[in-house]
Amino acid sequence: MWLVGYVTQPNCDYLFKVCMLGDEAVGKTSIVLKYTENRFEESYKMTLGADFATKVIKIDNYRVCLSVWDLGGQYRFRELRKHYFKNAAGALLLFDVTRPDTFLHIDRWIQEFYSYAGGELILLGNKVDLVKERLVPPDAGKMIEKWKGIPYYETSAKTGQNINEVFMVLTRKILRRHLSAYNP
């Protein structure tokens, strides 16, 4: 077993640590809950520091254990976050499509992640179910995708739109990178 992170799972071929990034209240915890427990909570609960959940998925002929780390998005947790980035194989970076300020902070998050971790990164425009409140158009995310070369998806933790897909895409990218690095 190749181990990345702090959690071990029996019967897995690989364990990858994935971080959830983005400003506070963009839906990081909600996406983790939807993905790992298939539930959604309407009320907001701030993540203090970090929390994590695990999920086992099958990709091709491999059983992959994901250790999903939900990192607090408040600026005051910045110093603490760099320690949680250690051994991260990838991350999902979220912004809230109803709050343009969260979109404007994307570059800072990208720099922070690549400074302390590296790995694969996917950008998510979250809360697309809030159609009437939407202020960041889909083209904005697509612009970042072209400019930075980071895949972009639109998600909704409430409806589950694209949640499973983004974790599968991210895990496939991580697995391919790992397999090519260790099996040239």
Side-chain angles (χ1 to χ4, degrees), residues 65-128:
C65 298
L66 291 181
S67 177
V68 184
W69 287 73
D70 179 10
L71 306 180
Q74 293 78 4
Y75 186 78
R76 69 179 183 257
F77 294 129
R78 187 168 185 239
E79 283 299 312
L80 186 60
R81 270 194 306 269
K82 67 183 176 185
H83 300 289
Y84 290 115
F85 285 144
K86 184 178 181 186
N87 295 325
L92 296 175
L93 169 56
L94 284 71
F95 69 91
D96 178 344
V97 299
T98 70
R99 294 173 39 218
D101 59 310
T102 66
F103 178 78
L104 295 174
H105 297 151
I106 288 170
D107 197 49
R108 177 175 50 89
W109 283 103
I110 292 169
Q111 289 177 23
E112 187 174 330
F113 179 68
Y114 286 139
S115 292
Y116 300 112
E120 302 294 335
L121 188 61
I122 293 179
L123 178 64
L124 306 181
N126 194 37
K127 302 186 184 182
V128 296

Side-chain angles (χ1 to χ4, degrees), residues 14 17 27 33 37 41 45-46 60 84 86-87 94-95 113 120 124 129 133 135 145 151 156 168 180 184:
Y14 299 100
K17 180 178 181 180
L33 284 174
E37 300 178 26
E41 292 184 5
K45 293 179 184 144
M46 180 175 75
D60 302 325
Y84 290 115
K86 184 178 181 186
N87 295 325
L94 284 71
F95 69 91
F113 179 68
E120 302 294 335
L124 306 181
D129 56 288
E133 294 90 358
L135 297 172
E145 182 175 47
S156 168
M168 287 299 285
S180 68

Side-chain angles (χ1 to χ4, degrees), residues 5 24 26 28 32 34 42 45 51 59 71 86 88 97 105 111 138 146 161:
E24 66 273 1
V26 295
K28 297 180 298 293
V32 172
K34 190 65 161 185
E42 290 285 343
K45 293 179 184 144
D51 197 4
I59 296 183
L71 306 180
K86 184 178 181 186
V97 299
H105 297 151
Q111 289 177 23
K146 280 182 125 178
Q161 179 180 334

Side-chain angles (χ1 to χ4, degrees), residues 47-66:
T47 302
L48 299 174
D51 197 4
F52 75 93
T54 59
K55 182 152 180 165
V56 178
I57 59 175
K58 186 144 175 105
I59 296 183
D60 302 325
N61 294 320
Y62 300 104
R63 282 181 47 90
V64 178
C65 298
L66 291 181

